[in-house]
Amino acid sequence: MNVRKRFPTQEEAVLNPEAARMFARTYRNLALGLAASVLLLTAALLVLLVRTTEDAVIRRIDELLQNRAQAIATGHAREVERRPAFAPASGYLFFVYFGDPPQTPIAVRPYDPFSDAARTVLARLAEKNKSALGGSSPVTAPARAELEGEAFRYVLVRLPEGTSAASGARNGQARSRTAGPPSLSPPAESRYALLLYPLAREEEYLANLRRQAFLAGGLFAAVSALLGLIFADRALRPVREAWAAQRRFVANASHELRTPLQVLRLNLERLVRYKDRTVAEERRTLEVLLGELSRLEHLVGDLLTLAKADAATLAVEKRLVDLADVVRREGEAFRPAFEEKGLSLEVHAEAAPVWGDPERLAQVVAILLDNAVSYTDQGGASVVLTVDKTKKQAILKVDDSGMGIGPEERERAFDRFYRGREARRKKREGSGLGLAVARIIVQAHGGTLRLLPRPEGGTRAELRLPLAPHS
């Protein structure tokens, strides 16, 4: 299988060769297994169809033979003559009459197509089946016979006493096929009759049915194999996407971790080279080291939060908390960062009791304020916390006057390690994990978090949480 064709997108290119081979094997096995299952089911249904049709045809012929035989056995030979022995869809029904013992056919109605060898075989059949005639039933069960390469269904019937000869027909005389409607009545000395139905037309019909079933089965097998490939591809798509997302996550995490580690190593090597310098002289280097350690700690904490969320082990210790207190506390903590950039920060919060983890909720508010100060160059931000008693929700809106975000990027902003085009162009610091972590925490509290545009410019982060009961 061409792995490059199976995984053509840039996102899937992160798959290593072993993973690609694993997906290719799984894909092939799924497709083959599905196609084989459908093929076996189709073959079983077609065999059942052909067998059912064969049984129905044979059953109809046997009923015809038994009806005619019963009519003759009960002395209603004239009624048999009124019911045609030949129908275009059925073929001829032959009446072969024997004396007692049945050694040589006395007569064959409506005409005699059999050779001397075939007549000998017919006599043996009559002699063999004579013993199967019991006292209660004058007709044997239908059976199959081969005469000169042609198949027949037949029954043997014991004729009643006093059977009269047909008018216009002498015993043993074979009627011509063009001599008009022949009489089917037995000759006077007949004691047994062998009724034969040739199966040539039915076997041709069944052979055509088998061929058509075989062709239909082959076509259906090809279609099912194609459908198997399609459905197997769809079944594997979430697996491929999850694997690609995992690989991207690992690659991005490694890249984000590498930068602070490199800074730490370079500065530590500098300290090792200049052993004679005092702590005061290397104060700036130590501050850089502490900053990078803080950044590294923050990044590892975000990664741990995401990992716990993926493993469904994220701890959220909920209790009754006033979201307004959390918002005011975080607002005061971030006010120096806003003032340092010459930005304003307004906080308006009304009491909003919610059932949640105050530490986690503080983390969410901190992420929203950090984004506001990081992506705003002038103006400022406003934080408004209101309560919608109708919907029983606490609504937190964090508005900034920053660069904003395009409509196509608003949902992707919650992807892990995603950073918007403007943020990348202006080389803003950040790992791209903040909003991903915030949304996971909000969802764990039964709330929603989304980004909205502001008409006057900038972005609004809107957080909605359910109010605590009886609040």
Side-chain angles (χ1 to χ4, degrees):
M1 175 177 292
N2 192 328
V3 176
R4 189 179 298 276
K5 290 183 179 180
R6 290 299 324 132
F7 308 105
T9 65
Q10 185 176 3
E11 292 182 351
E12 292 173 328
V14 297
L15 290 170
N16 58 35
E18 181 59 32
R21 284 193 293 270
M22 179 191 69
F23 281 121
R25 287 194 301 269
T26 307
Y27 175 82
R28 183 180 63 252
N29 293 337
L30 278 176
L32 291 178
L34 182 59
S37 300
V38 174
L39 180 59
L40 290 175
L41 179 60
T42 303
L45 290 176
L46 289 177
V47 170
L48 180 62
L49 172 64
V50 172
R51 289 291 179 85
T52 303
T53 305
E54 289 178 351
D55 292 343
V57 169
I58 297 301
R59 192 181 306 113
R60 180 182 62 82
I61 294 173
D62 291 347
E63 289 176 356
L64 172 68
L65 288 171
Q66 289 179 323
N67 289 338
R68 297 296 192 271
Q70 289 292 344
I72 294 176
T74 54
H76 297 86
R78 296 293 181 181
E79 185 177 346
V80 174
E81 292 185 16
R82 285 195 298 270
R83 286 182 284 180
F86 172 78
S90 303
Y92 285 99
L93 183 62
F94 293 100
F95 297 78
V96 183
Y97 296 104
F98 295 90
D100 192 10
Q103 295 179 345
T104 303
I106 299 175
V108 181
R109 310 289 196 225
Y111 71 96
D112 188 355
F114 303 111
S115 65
D116 292 339
R119 293 164 70 89
T120 303
V121 175
L122 291 175
R124 291 175 182 171
L125 285 176
E127 183 66 30
K128 177 182 177 181
N129 287 271
K130 175 183 173 182
S131 59
L133 293 173
S136 59
S137 175
V139 180
T140 61
R144 179 187 175 94
E146 297 282 343
L147 292 176
E148 297 180 331
E150 186 175 355
F152 292 83
R153 296 290 292 181
Y154 73 92
V155 295
L156 181 67
V157 56
R158 184 174 56 238
L159 301 178
E161 297 292 336
T163 301
S164 60
S167 60
R170 291 176 296 178
N171 296 346
Q173 181 181 1
R175 297 297 301 263
S176 170
R177 299 179 66 174
T178 60
S183 173
L184 301 177
S185 298
E189 64 271 26
S190 300
R191 293 295 175 266
Y192 298 97
L194 197 62
L195 279 61
L196 295 101
Y197 187 98
L199 299 176
R201 294 190 179 187
E202 282 72 11
E203 289 193 338
E204 182 180 359
Y205 164 74
L206 293 174
N208 289 332
L209 178 63
R210 294 188 193 98
R211 283 193 295 269
Q212 293 172 3
F214 178 78
L215 293 176
L219 178 62
F220 195 77
V223 173
S224 30
L226 178 61
L227 291 177
L229 293 173
I230 295 174
F231 286 118
D233 180 64
R234 290 187 178 182
L236 279 176
R237 191 174 302 165
V239 180
R240 291 201 310 271
E241 291 175 355
W243 181 268
Q246 179 186 358
R247 296 291 297 178
R248 289 196 303 272
F249 179 79
V250 172
N252 291 330
S254 301
H255 175 74
E256 292 295 332
L257 290 170
R258 186 183 300 115
T259 301
L261 289 175
Q262 287 177 343
V263 173
L264 289 173
R265 178 172 180 171
L266 290 174
N267 283 276
L268 289 173
E269 288 177 349
R270 184 178 183 278
L271 291 176
V272 171
R273 283 198 303 270
Y274 299 100
K275 299 178 181 179
D276 298 334
R277 298 178 67 90
T278 64
V279 174
E281 292 174 331
E282 294 295 340
R283 180 179 180 84
R284 177 57 184 166
T285 302
L286 294 176
E287 289 177 351
V288 171
L289 290 174
L290 287 174
E292 291 301 322
L293 283 173
S294 176
R295 177 186 173 190
L296 188 61
E297 182 182 13
H298 182 73
L299 178 59
V300 172
D302 287 344
L303 291 174
L304 183 60
T305 299
L306 294 172
K308 288 181 177 180
D310 290 340
T313 59
L314 180 63
V316 178
E317 299 177 359
K318 294 183 179 181
R319 63 176 183 268
L320 186 63
V321 58
D322 189 354
L323 187 59
D325 294 338
V326 176
V327 171
R328 294 190 193 99
R329 185 171 63 252
E330 292 302 317
E332 291 303 317
F334 273 84
R335 192 174 297 279
F338 279 86
E339 293 175 351
E340 185 179 350
K341 292 184 66 174
L343 304 174
S344 63
L345 175 63
E346 298 178 1
V347 179
H348 304 282
E350 62 177 285
V354 297
W355 191 255
D357 186 331
E359 297 299 326
R360 294 293 186 184
L361 293 177
Q363 186 179 358
V364 172
V365 176
I367 290 172
L368 299 182
L369 289 173
D370 182 65
N371 283 346
V373 71
S374 297
Y375 298 108
T376 302
D377 293 327
Q378 59 182 0
S382 67
V383 180
V384 179
L385 175 63
T386 60
V387 173
D388 187 342
K389 294 185 177 180
T390 303
K391 296 183 178 180
K392 296 183 178 180
Q393 289 181 330
I395 304 174
L396 174 65
K397 299 176 182 178
V398 179
D399 296 344
D400 65 53
S401 57
M403 64 185 68
I405 185 171
E408 71 282 355
E409 293 185 303
R410 288 180 198 137
E411 190 61 29
R412 291 200 63 192
F414 294 96
D415 293 345
R416 301 171 185 184
F417 295 105
Y418 180 79
R419 302 176 72 230
R421 288 193 298 268
E422 284 296 315
R424 295 194 301 269
R425 185 176 65 85
K426 295 184 178 182
K427 298 181 179 180
R428 302 286 183 178
E429 291 186 359
S431 62
L433 290 176
L435 287 175
V437 172
R439 172 171 275 188
I440 287 175
I441 294 175
V442 171
Q443 290 174 344
H445 285 77
T448 60
L449 177 62
R450 58 178 182 165
L451 300 180
L452 301 171
R454 298 182 65 217
E456 58 270 28
T459 304
R460 167 176 291 175
E462 183 183 87
L463 166 65
R464 291 176 178 261
L465 290 174
L467 293 173
H470 311 297
S471 60

